[in-house]
Amino acid sequence: MKILVIQNSVRDPIGILGDHLIYQGAELTTWFPEQQPNLPEGAFSGLIILGGHMNAHEDDKYPHLQQVVTLIHQFHAENKPTMGVCLGSQLIARAFGSQVYPHSTPELGFSPLAVVTDAVTEPWLKNCPVNLHIMQWHFDTFDLPGPATLLMTNDICKHQAYRIGTNIYGFQFHLEVTPEIIVDWLTAKSDWIDTHYPNLDQQIQKQINIHTDNAATFAEQVAYHWLTLFPDAVSKW
């Protein structure tokens, strides 16, 4: 299973999600669009688009975004599994005709997630902890694409996880992060965040201690079940 990973920010690698994918037999090739003008060569059977600081429609500042949308269309046409995380989920929504725009409330830190009732048949949601909290770091949201099924939600931002067809998934939250990645984000946060969220560092440090284990288990479940969508998957479970 050769998977193309699009890393839109040096501060948002694939983290623990990638560890679980590799353990299950996936081979990951990472593309850094802002540093590498050309796509990596090779044939890929899956696509993962990670987060980034840009808005999903900022093609004028970040021309690679249009190329990512084209790749989403291509992988969809070829019926290849695709996953989007934060910005990645917004770019998938854009690719399917939806708008991405600033949300009324930034979501920073670990937030509770609720499974939509109709989504309990998803294998990776059947044993989802009732009190699941996953790391969030976003200022934008999106309209749910017409062909999408909403899977997870919360009171802050309605569209948290969705599926299109049988093998395209979008996650607004950051299931890929490790504590080290989160701490790095805190060291690089903007003056605006420091002004409006003066206690954010302390709050998130406490949240890391409480929620990291459940979040890591959730990422493992998602990785495992997403890879079952590949025809050449060999499970190690």
Side-chain angles (χ1 to χ4, degrees), residues 5-45:
V5 178
I6 301 177
Q7 185 175 333
N8 293 287
S9 169
V10 294
R11 294 188 181 275
D12 191 7
I14 197 165
I16 193 170
L17 177 63
D19 292 341
H20 292 312
L21 292 170
I22 292 170
Y23 177 76
Q24 291 294 328
E27 179 182 333
L28 308 183
T29 297
T30 301
W31 178 40
F32 299 88
E34 292 192 279
Q35 299 177 12
Q36 302 165 307
N38 298 318
L39 273 168
E41 295 183 358
F44 300 98
S45 54

Side-chain angles (χ1 to χ4, degrees), residues 34-109:
E34 292 192 279
Q35 299 177 12
Q36 302 165 307
N38 298 318
L39 273 168
E41 295 183 358
F44 300 98
S45 54
L47 175 66
I48 297 176
I49 310 121
L50 298 173
H53 54 278
M54 58 285 292
N55 175 275
H57 295 284
E58 286 189 293
D59 294 2
D60 54 337
K61 295 182 181 178
Y62 309 98
H64 77 273
L65 295 178
Q66 179 58 62
Q67 190 172 4
V68 174
V69 170
T70 299
L71 281 172
I72 294 168
H73 288 151
Q74 176 186 326
F75 276 72
H76 174 53
E78 296 172 357
N79 197 32
K80 294 178 178 179
T82 299
M83 183 192 303
V85 177
C86 198
L87 173 65
S89 71
Q90 297 164 2
L91 285 166
I92 293 174
R94 171 188 165 179
F96 281 85
S98 292
Q99 289 296 309
V100 181
Y101 45 85
H103 190 39
S104 57
T105 305
E107 199 170 11
L108 305 171

Side-chain angles (χ1 to χ4, degrees), residues 197-211:
Y197 297 85
N199 300 315
L200 187 65
D201 290 50
Q202 296 89 334
Q203 292 170 357
I204 290 181
Q205 287 288 355
K206 291 180 181 178
Q207 293 170 349
I208 288 173
N209 295 333
I210 297 171
H211 301 301

